[in-house]
Amino acid sequence: MRAASPTVRTAPPVPVSAPASASPEALPFPTHGGQVRAVIAHFPEAPRPYYDLSTGISPYAYPLRMPDPTVLARLPEEDEEADLQAAAAFAYGLSSPDMVVAGAGSQSLIALLPRLLPAQRVCLLGPTYSGHAQAWRLQGVPVQQVTDPAALEQAATQPGTVCVVCNPNNPDGRLLSAAWLHTLANTCAAHGTVLIVDEAFADFEQESIAPLLPHPALVVLRSFGKTYGLPGVRLGFLLASPEVAAQARAVLGSWPVGSLGLAAGRQALRDTGWLRTAKTQARAAHTRLTTLLDAAALRHTGQASLFTLVLHPDAASLWRHFCTYGLVTRIFADQPGRLRLGLPATDAAWSRLETALQAWAASPKSPVSRSGS
């Protein structure tokens, strides 16, 4: 692993006091990360520019060569869609593009799953990304959340169950081994159940089970925008057996991905050199982030490269503190005591974060300041 980059110091912003109405309880939190303009509007005196650390999206944007604007004046061609499927099969280690379904972001494919997979119940290993439970509940399917992997193994033996795992998990960065997930998929196959593995953050890790496909009980989700730092492209993939993939494509209908998504995916998914470099950069940046958190005596957890989860009994105050420094992080209304931070994208953002953490550590509430260190 490459050593963390040296911290670039600039003049610190002047800390401000947010208006009383800006308490975390009073704010309309976005359902997901992002929506930073809506959040920062409650902190008008925070320094600008503000920085978004709320999403876990890679700060290393792929250098996309934009397609000729004339492609926007026509419908996508079938050979372009087929080439995107081939590029995704190559990137994710699949033997055939017939196992690839492309859609407008992995979130749209999560919403598709209840229409694709019959289920009497869903068991999620959590706490995890809320979009999965929401998609199934909207279709009237009961959802159970378990925190022990052994409980998920037990659920996999109950006919009519769909098991859902995010790996790495969001928001805590827990990483399960591909070997364990392979065993779980085999258990599902033996009992007529299904395993969905959401690998939205897996491109920077080593535990993908996509190469196991085709597997009779396995569906894998992958995100393009998070890995390649291009979330606005709205591109994601569902990977499954050719039979399930064909059903998914039929439900999605014609032209599920626009011309910009087709161009971006076909370029980036074949650029293995760029991905290797981005992985190295992300691991170094993650080490730099956790080092800063350690210096501020903030407990954290997670193995995912693109984000880390801070565990603090007063996470709401820490979130508000970051906002007053123009740093938007991710707080969870249903998971008190947790705050997720993504990777800063620029030297100025790193400097702002370091200044905010130093101020937090020096505040009277901080264990560091109380110990005199």
Side-chain angles (χ1 to χ4, degrees):
M1 184 182 298
R2 205 170 56 180
S5 305
T7 301
V8 178
R9 299 180 183 275
T10 60
V14 178
V16 297
S17 296
S21 62
S23 67
E25 296 77 10
L27 289 180
F29 289 120
T31 303
H32 308 293
Q35 303 301 318
V36 291
R37 287 188 302 207
V39 171
I40 210 70
H42 294 268
F43 298 85
E45 297 181 38
R48 268 37 173 197
Y50 49 81
Y51 300 111
D52 183 10
L53 306 182
S54 69
T55 64
I57 292 167
S58 173
Y60 313 110
Y62 183 77
L64 177 64
R65 300 186 306 278
M66 296 296 289
D68 190 293
T70 58
V71 304
L72 303 179
R74 61 168 173 80
L75 290 170
E77 298 281 350
E78 289 184 359
D79 64 327
E80 295 170 329
E81 295 175 335
D83 191 47
L84 174 63
Q85 288 178 232
F90 167 78
Y92 302 137
L94 305 184
S95 60
S96 170
D98 290 343
M99 293 184 278
V100 176
V101 181
S106 57
Q107 175 59 46
S108 69
L109 298 169
I110 289 171
L112 173 72
L113 288 170
R115 300 175 58 192
L116 194 65
L117 303 173
Q120 297 177 23
R121 69 193 65 82
V122 169
C123 186
L124 296 130
L125 185 60
T128 194
Y129 176 60
S130 62
H132 287 285
Q134 181 184 40
W136 290 97
R137 285 175 176 146
L138 283 173
Q139 297 301 316
V141 180
V143 176
Q144 174 193 16
Q145 179 174 278
V146 298
T147 58
D148 184 356
L152 191 68
E153 291 175 323
Q154 178 59 36
T157 67
Q158 301 172 14
T161 300
V162 169
C163 299
V164 181
V165 176
C166 292
N167 199 50
N169 191 45
N170 176 17
D172 63 12
R174 176 202 63 224
L175 189 62
L176 299 170
S177 73
W180 184 84
L181 288 165
H182 190 178
T183 299
L184 183 62
N186 289 343
T187 299
C188 288
H191 291 86
T193 57
V194 177
L195 174 63
I196 298 169
V197 182
D198 185 338
E199 295 187 341
F201 294 98
D203 283 313
F204 290 164
E205 315 304 335
Q206 306 297 324
E207 299 295 340
S208 172
I209 63 166
L212 294 179
L213 292 166
H215 188 286
L218 180 63
V219 174
V220 178
L221 296 164
R222 296 297 282 257
S223 169
F224 176 84
K226 292 180 177 64
T227 298
Y228 294 92
L230 299 171
V233 168
R234 304 312 304 141
L235 179 62
F237 299 94
L238 184 154
L239 314 176
S241 68
E243 297 76 18
V244 172
Q247 293 173 22
R249 286 192 291 271
V251 173
L252 283 174
S254 301
W255 313 298
V257 176
S259 295
L260 181 57
L262 291 170
R266 293 162 67 198
Q267 287 179 43
L269 289 168
R270 292 187 171 102
D271 196 339
T272 55
W274 181 90
L275 184 60
R276 282 195 301 270
T277 298
K279 286 182 181 180
T280 301
Q281 291 174 313
R283 289 311 305 172
H286 185 267
T287 298
R288 182 177 179 181
L289 174 59
T290 57
T291 299
L292 291 176
L293 294 172
D294 289 339
L298 288 170
R299 190 161 63 98
H300 53 85
T301 187
Q303 297 165 275
S305 299
L306 291 175
F307 59 87
T308 195
L309 187 72
V310 172
L311 306 173
H312 195 283
D314 198 5
S317 290
L318 180 57
W319 174 87
R320 184 180 179 204
H321 172 81
F322 281 134
C323 285
T324 65
Y325 279 82
L327 300 166
V328 180
T329 56
R330 180 76 165 97
I331 196 169
F332 304 89
D334 60 340
Q335 299 179 44
R338 292 179 155 208
L339 187 79
R340 192 188 67 194
L341 283 82
L343 302 178
T346 64
D347 288 338
W350 278 109
S351 181
R352 183 87 63 80
L353 176 61
E354 182 176 18
T355 298
L357 286 168
Q358 288 172 344
W360 177 266
S363 64
K365 67 173 76 66
S366 168
V368 173
S369 65
R370 288 201 300 269
S371 66
S373 59

